[in-house]
Amino acid sequence: MTLPLTPEFAPAAYEPLAAAEGRVVLLLPPEGRLGALARRLNRAARGAVQRALDSKAWAKLKPGEAMELQWPAGLRAEAVQLVKLPARATVAEARKAGAAAGRALGEAGAVVLAAGQRRVADIALGLTLRAYDFGRYRTGEAAPKPRGTVTILVDDPDAARAAMVPVAAVAEGVCFTRDLVNEPANVLTTTDFASRLAGMKSLGLSVEVLEEKDLEKLGMRALLGVGQGSESPSKVVVMEWQGGKKGEAPFAFVGKGVCFDSGGISIKPAAGMEEMTMDMGGAGVVAGLMRTLALRKAKANVVGLVGLVENMPDGRAQRPGDIVASMKGDTIEVINTDAEGRLVLADVLWYAQDRFSPRGMIDLATLTGAIIIALGHENAGVFANDDRLAAALLKAAGAEGEGAWRMPLGPAYDEMIKSRLADMKNTGGRPGGSITAAQFLRRFVRDDTPWCHIDIAGVALQSKDTTLAPKGATGWGVMTLDRLVRDLLEG
């Protein structure tokens, strides 16, 4: 995997700033007040830092934004980056400030002066996440350059290192998810995906891979129907983390893992189909979350389940009009083979409840284009049968700066997926498309199981850079769900 950059922490002193040959990053209050070390650096740079802070350009910057002095006279550094950060910065501002440094990081590395800052771990997290670069398939001049060492100068290095331990676990989980979502489908097959998850046994996770013969015995015909036109075998992977009280019911996270979605017989338009390598984004988030929980030794019992399939057109592929039986026993008329993710989730959701009787359950999926029409690329859609769980999830998302918005469910939407021939059909058409998809999943959730469905189709992959991620996979959800586990299960 793409290992996240790991910043080093050292006592705040002038010598590392003077000796830096890469970038020097100064985190400064909006009023541009220089501390003792920054004043010494300004004198060495012949007043260039203060002149920049007196400029209109500095005044226009928002918290977390930066300006640069290239090849400053009197210093060895190739650049001095001035980042605006209030003394009482919010979490979002601190991460944005760190991201400004991470975005510009090069081979020569950086020394970051963070003396007096309260949110050093958030600054480091922002830097780490924004420095991520998935470049394993770029060669020659386009090949990614190695990132240099980052040293963050702080008042208390030991305290900063301790605060960084859980943050580093989150960063690795996010990067793991991003890698999975960025991988092409000819590499990340269902078999390769399952193998990568099995590799997390070394972290203390219990990992079980259910093969097609196992799924047949369980009656997962809804899931198996999606993958029957592919050469890649369908699988379900179960990851367990037992960090809580012995015998306590786990919380379950379920992810849609369609490693490539052609639409099947209801084939998608060619334009943009290449992005359907990200249709396993929900499974990617569950995998990244489980990695994070294991790395930080979470004091909770959590199970992560992912359904891994490939949806391809073939002589054996599922057809529009087919009727399949789910593990639950309900029958489903397949109106559109491109509404496949809900068929995968239906069986895995039922299996999670049947086997683990979880205290709560959340599923994630790049499920519908309709959620992008509703919410754009700023928010994931949240659907729930339990107000308390929904509120906790939205609170966690807000705390982590990951957009989420609650959407409705209701009997009228359920009427839209009634079938003439079977118990239900797999799509209710274009009106309310993300809602009827969630309503379909609701039929596979027991009334006594608190549940949320998160449609991440608009947030899993971005066509432009975001604050904490370069263009491509974002890893949306790992930070939110890790925070939810802390608040709900470990609090």
Side-chain angles (χ1 to χ4, degrees):
M1 65 167 289
T2 304
L3 291 174
L5 179 149
T6 305
E8 300 175 356
F9 296 96
Y14 180 70
E15 289 71 21
L17 297 170
E21 296 184 352
R23 306 175 67 80
V24 169
V25 182
L26 303 181
L27 303 174
L28 302 170
E31 61 271 20
R33 184 180 65 255
L34 297 175
L37 296 179
R39 287 198 298 272
R40 286 186 67 181
L41 193 77
N42 178 54
R43 288 195 295 270
R46 302 173 188 174
V49 173
Q50 188 61 61
R51 287 195 297 275
L53 296 176
D54 292 337
S55 70
K56 291 181 180 179
W58 172 261
K60 290 180 179 178
L61 294 180
K62 297 176 182 178
E65 294 181 344
M67 61 186 297
E68 293 194 1
L69 306 175
Q70 294 287 339
W71 303 105
L75 298 177
R76 300 178 66 182
E78 63 186 34
V80 173
Q81 187 178 39
L82 310 177
V83 185
K84 184 177 284 190
L85 190 63
R88 294 188 175 276
T90 64
V91 169
E93 289 169 343
R95 291 178 181 177
K96 186 177 180 180
R103 182 174 56 250
L105 188 63
E107 294 180 80
V111 177
V112 181
L113 180 57
Q117 293 294 335
R118 297 167 57 243
R119 298 192 182 278
V120 173
D122 286 306
I123 293 167
L125 178 61
L127 192 156
T128 299
L129 293 181
R130 190 58 185 83
Y132 170 89
D133 184 14
F134 186 78
R136 67 183 58 176
Y137 300 112
R138 303 200 305 266
T139 63
E141 289 297 317
K145 305 296 188 292
R147 306 285 195 177
T149 300
V150 175
T151 301
I152 303 179
L153 306 180
V154 296
D155 300 319
D156 188 341
D158 289 337
R161 292 185 194 102
M164 192 63 192
V165 171
V167 171
V170 171
E172 184 165 327
V174 171
C175 290
F176 187 60
T177 296
R178 289 178 179 177
D179 275 6
L180 290 169
V181 175
N182 279 325
E183 285 283 12
N186 62 322
V187 174
L188 192 74
T189 62
T190 57
T191 299
D192 182 75
F193 201 151
S195 178
R196 296 189 193 201
L197 301 187
M200 292 200 291
K201 291 178 182 178
S202 63
L203 303 179
L205 286 167
S206 171
V207 183
E208 180 183 6
V209 180
L210 303 179
E211 303 291 352
E212 286 189 343
K213 63 180 187 300
D214 304 309
L215 307 182
E216 286 278 7
K217 290 178 182 177
L218 289 166
M220 291 194 187
R221 285 303 315 161
L223 183 151
L224 287 168
V226 175
Q228 70 189 37
S230 172
E231 293 296 321
S232 291
S234 299
K235 302 172 186 286
V236 169
V237 182
V238 181
M239 298 163 280
E240 294 183 72
W241 174 254
Q242 298 286 341
K245 295 179 181 177
K246 187 174 181 179
E248 187 174 65
F251 198 99
F253 293 95
V254 176
K256 168 191 170 184
V258 180
C259 294
F260 186 76
D261 181 19
S262 69
I265 298 300
S266 306
I267 197 163
K268 293 177 180 289
M273 195 193 290
E274 72 279 0
E275 289 190 350
M276 287 300 100
T277 58
M278 51 76 77
D279 210 23
M280 37 56 63
V285 175
V286 172
L289 171 67
M290 298 305 295
R291 189 177 193 91
T292 295
L293 298 180
L295 285 169
R296 70 172 182 81
K297 302 291 189 289
K299 293 179 172 58
N301 294 336
V302 180
V303 57
L305 305 96
V306 296
L308 306 180
V309 303
E310 185 179 47
N311 187 23
M312 296 290 282
D314 179 82
R316 298 172 299 161
Q318 186 165 255
R319 296 156 292 250
D322 283 2
I323 295 177
V324 295
S326 67
M327 180 182 174
K328 179 186 176 186
D330 288 351
T331 57
I332 305 162
E333 181 185 6
V334 179
I335 299 297
N336 187 324
T337 65
D338 194 24
E340 85 299 331
R342 64 204 71 181
L343 300 174
V344 174
L345 289 174
D347 277 342
V348 183
L349 286 169
W350 194 256
Y351 177 72
Q353 294 164 97
D354 192 59
R355 177 173 171 181
F356 294 103
S357 300
R359 58 190 293 186
M361 184 167 62
I362 292 175
D363 75 77
L364 299 98
T366 51
L367 203 63
T368 67
I371 202 66
I372 303 175
I373 302 304
L375 299 176
H377 295 281
E378 303 302 317
N379 288 283
V382 176
F383 304 80
N385 69 351
D386 185 272
D387 291 341
R388 178 174 174 269
L389 179 58
L393 174 60
L394 293 172
K395 180 182 177 182
E400 295 300 326
E402 294 190 311
W405 192 264
R406 189 168 181 185
M407 300 286 287
L409 292 170
Y413 299 107
D414 201 61
E415 288 290 323
M416 295 167 66
I417 57 171
K418 284 189 174 180
S419 167
R420 178 178 66 87
L421 299 171
D423 295 325
M424 70 195 81
K425 54 187 179 180
N426 75 327
T427 176
R430 291 176 61 83
S434 62
I435 306 173
T436 54
Q439 201 73 52
F440 179 95
L441 297 178
R442 175 68 182 86
R443 293 193 177 203
F444 297 90
V445 178
R446 292 171 176 152
D447 290 337
D448 60 353
T449 302
W451 161 78
C452 284
H453 158 61
I454 312 177
D455 194 332
I456 62 171
V459 295
L461 190 81
Q462 298 284 10
S463 61
K464 59 183 179 180
D465 292 356
T466 62
T467 300
L468 298 181
K471 175 182 176 180
T474 63
W476 187 102
V478 174
M479 294 191 297
T480 290
L481 298 182
D482 178 66
R483 172 64 69 104
L484 181 70
V485 169
R486 291 174 184 274
D487 292 348
L488 207 60
L489 307 182
E490 298 180 278

